[in-house]
Amino acid sequence: MRGWISNIFGLLARFSRAREGVAAVEFALILPMMLVLYVGSVEVSTLISSDRRVQLTAGTVGDLVARSDTSIPVATLTNYFRAAENIMLPGATSTLVQVVSLVQVKADGTNLVVWSRQYSGSTLSSAGKARVVNQPMTIPTNMTNVAKGAYLIVSEAYFTFQPITTMIFQATIPLYRQNFYIPRFGGKIDLV
């Protein structure tokens, strides 16, 4: 029995002095953590980039519409939506929904939607997420105060972020951005 115990202690002593394969064992222990950090950083940076692109998309449409003088043709508005949609490239645009609305803000601070259009999947419509005409819209107080007695362009973009893997984010993430613009030439912009 004593020989058997001394053999075990001898093996343990040799094992503690052995240095071959230590780097491989350390690498095997650290690799899963490094992979999670790498994939996580890619996912988070893609999410942040998508959010910034949604902001730019909403801002672009609103800014272009606000530059119109007294009217904007439907074909021109559709072209603005198409141009803004390209901001999301090279990513997928299948879940992108863009909305632009003209809102009349009265002197007392109340408001009514004059017109609203949604663009999604190459289709322009007044349904879906488009605002209801002749109905009030929730607008922040500071924007209402700035636009009292005038008109306000409200541009919105909705996007569903699809994670590359489910390792970090387990589900899709809805992104939404809203921008406000006062028409540059100061009056109503009719959609013709």
Side-chain angles (χ1 to χ4, degrees), residues 17-31:
R17 288 189 304 265
R19 299 291 176 232
E20 303 84 20
V22 171
V25 171
E26 289 174 351
F27 181 74
L29 291 173
I30 293 174
L31 181 64

Side-chain angles (χ1 to χ4, degrees), residues 81-100:
F81 280 127
R82 284 184 189 140
E85 185 177 52
N86 288 327
I87 293 170
M88 296 301 293
L89 297 176
T93 60
S94 59
T95 63
L96 178 66
V97 177
Q98 302 175 71
V99 177
V100 68

Side-chain angles (χ1 to χ4, degrees), residues 95-183:
T95 63
L96 178 66
V97 177
Q98 302 175 71
V99 177
V100 68
S101 307
L102 179 70
V103 179
Q104 179 184 18
V105 181
K106 298 179 182 176
D108 64 359
T110 61
N111 68 67
L112 288 176
V113 174
V114 177
W115 57 261
S116 183
R117 292 295 182 272
Q118 168 187 300
Y119 183 82
S120 176
S122 301
T123 304
L124 185 70
S125 91
S126 57
K129 294 186 183 291
R131 301 299 177 152
V132 180
V133 176
N134 292 326
Q135 293 295 315
M137 179 178 177
T138 304
I139 296 175
T141 305
N142 58 349
M143 286 310 305
T144 300
N145 292 336
V146 168
K148 278 185 181 176
Y151 290 88
L152 193 62
I153 302 292
V154 181
S155 60
E156 303 166 280
Y158 302 82
F159 182 73
T160 304
F161 175 75
Q162 306 276 349
I164 299 168
T165 68
T166 57
M167 186 183 299
I168 305 301
F169 299 116
Q170 302 297 317
T172 60
I173 299 171
L175 301 175
Y176 171 76
R177 291 298 179 166
Q178 182 180 50
N179 289 328
F180 301 95
Y181 295 90
I182 293 177

Side-chain angles (χ1 to χ4, degrees), residues 63-73 76 80 183-186 189:
D63 186 40
L64 290 171
V65 172
R67 292 174 189 233
S68 300
D69 191 359
T70 57
S71 66
I72 182 169
T76 302
Y80 289 167
R184 298 261 179 8
F185 297 101
I189 301 172

